Amino acid sequence: MKTYVLKEAGAEENLQLVELEKPNIKNDEVLIKVKALSINPVDIKTRIGKSLYQQLSEDRPIILGWDVSGIVEAIGSDVTNFNVGDAVFGMVNFPGHGKGYAEYVAAPAVHLVKKPNTVSHEAAAGATLAALTAYQILSRHVKSNDKVLIHAAAGGVGHFAVQIAKLLGAHVTGTTSEKNVDFVKSLGADTVIDYTKQAFEDVIANQDFVLDALSGDPLKRSIAVVKKGGTIISLPSGGIDDEILKSAKEKEVHVAFEMVQSNGNDMTQIAHWLETGKLTTHIFQRYPFDRLIEAQRQIETGRTKGKVIVTV
């Protein structure tokens, strides 16, 4: 099979397209013939030597990628919920070694769910790590009628978070740039703030919850708009410094970092929402497998609206 191996941490050219044997599956795994995969910022961070790189480097060859959608080609002896020929999707082995940048992926059955017939492999692959991040965090922290602020609301996680927060009954404010204001409104946001024209703290206050995908200055400023006892969850690892913790403590605001975990049961909810049209994946751009490096470059721009998909 063709797969991208990361020889060493660094530039995207360190991803090399090579031929390897198809992976062997364990008793609790299925072998997926991949039809589509998606690229996430964590892929880039890991590639350059941050995030999960050290962990993955202990299991060479390093193959990035966690988001896949495809067809089951083989099943392990303990797998009872899938059959050969089933269309499945999921986030595989996160935060471990997903090995998703490949034509074939061995995946634990408990990390997968059947793909609805009405949903394309591209849309399904996009609704994995990003959608699961939004769902796991919001379902833990947000209840009906809460006021929720979502930064980078047009991004991969952000565009799912807006939709899911609305499904949970929240009043949603999203921040984005001018060119994406209408897009974020179309997702269901009640209020959209163009951060190039307005400081969000001048527009909103008394938020119950903030989902922060930016860290840095926006995270610091977010403390001011959260009510006493409210919560901010920051997605970038290492983005919460002592100054932020001190400021949050003074206002009695909870600030924390949370990482998504592979979970087939949670994927079942996402699959249901996709099937019923309550949740949609916005595909910003598609790339063929032999142009996967270009897809990584697009993510690195930080200007992706929705998801970048690679077809296999």
Side-chain angles (χ1 to χ4, degrees), residues 1-267:
M1 69 171 185
K2 292 180 180 179
T3 185
Y4 283 89
V5 170
L6 180 63
K7 295 298 185 181
E8 60 181 348
E12 61 266 21
E13 288 78 10
N14 289 354
L15 287 169
Q16 298 183 8
L17 186 58
V18 301
E19 289 278 352
L20 295 179
E21 294 294 321
K22 294 180 186 178
N24 295 316
I25 58 172
K26 300 175 183 177
N27 292 346
D28 62 348
E29 294 181 330
V30 303
L31 182 65
I32 303 171
K33 180 175 176 57
V34 179
K35 295 295 185 181
L37 59 96
S38 78
I39 312 290
N40 296 286
V42 69
D43 302 23
I44 312 302
K45 293 177 183 177
T46 302
R47 191 203 73 213
I48 65 176
K50 298 180 180 181
S51 193
L52 301 175
Y53 178 78
Q54 193 60 44
Q55 177 183 345
L56 268 56
S57 65
E58 298 173 2
D59 178 28
R60 292 182 181 272
I62 300 173
I63 302 172
L64 300 179
W66 292 270
D67 293 356
V68 299
S69 181
I71 306 298
V72 174
E73 183 158 295
I75 61 173
S77 58
D78 294 339
V79 175
T80 58
N81 54 331
F82 297 114
N83 296 305
V84 172
D86 284 346
V88 297
F89 72 112
M91 180 184 74
V92 178
N93 282 328
F94 195 88
H97 207 159
K99 303 184 180 182
Y101 289 6
E103 292 182 310
Y104 291 87
V105 171
V110 294
H111 294 172
L112 304 171
V113 67
K114 290 183 180 179
K115 181 186 73 65
N117 293 332
T118 55
V119 178
S120 70
H121 283 290
E122 291 88 350
T128 42
L129 187 149
L132 204 56
T133 297
Y135 175 65
Q136 289 183 349
I137 292 174
L138 292 172
S139 63
R140 282 194 291 263
H141 298 286
V142 172
K143 61 185 182 300
S144 183
N145 296 318
D146 276 356
K147 294 180 179 179
V148 173
L149 171 62
I150 297 169
H151 287 305
V157 173
H159 92 289
F160 285 120
V162 171
Q163 297 175 76
I164 292 172
K166 290 302 297 180
L167 286 168
L168 296 174
H171 181 283
V172 178
T173 298
T175 65
T176 190
S177 60
E178 181 179 12
K179 66 180 180 180
N180 292 326
V181 167
D182 288 342
F183 171 63
V184 176
K185 286 181 180 177
S186 75
L187 298 171
D190 300 284
T191 305
V192 182
I193 301 171
D194 174 4
Y195 66 81
T196 68
K197 295 181 178 179
Q198 290 179 299
F200 61 84
E201 61 268 36
D202 293 338
V203 181
I204 58 171
N206 296 316
Q207 300 295 294
D208 296 280
F209 179 81
V210 177
L211 181 62
D212 164 58
L214 302 171
S215 72
D217 183 62
L219 174 56
K220 294 176 184 177
R221 290 158 50 210
S222 293
I223 296 170
V225 305
V226 179
K227 70 181 186 182
K228 180 180 177 180
T231 298
I232 302 173
I233 298 299
S234 184
L235 300 180
S237 58
I240 303 173
D241 59 25
D242 290 341
E243 179 185 350
I244 290 170
L245 290 173
K246 180 182 178 182
S247 178
K249 184 177 181 180
E250 289 173 352
K251 195 177 178 184
E252 298 184 44
V253 170
H254 175 65
V255 178
F257 162 75
E258 291 186 6
M259 180 179 285
V260 65
Q261 302 282 333
S262 293
N263 187 309
N265 289 331
D266 288 346
M267 287 302 305

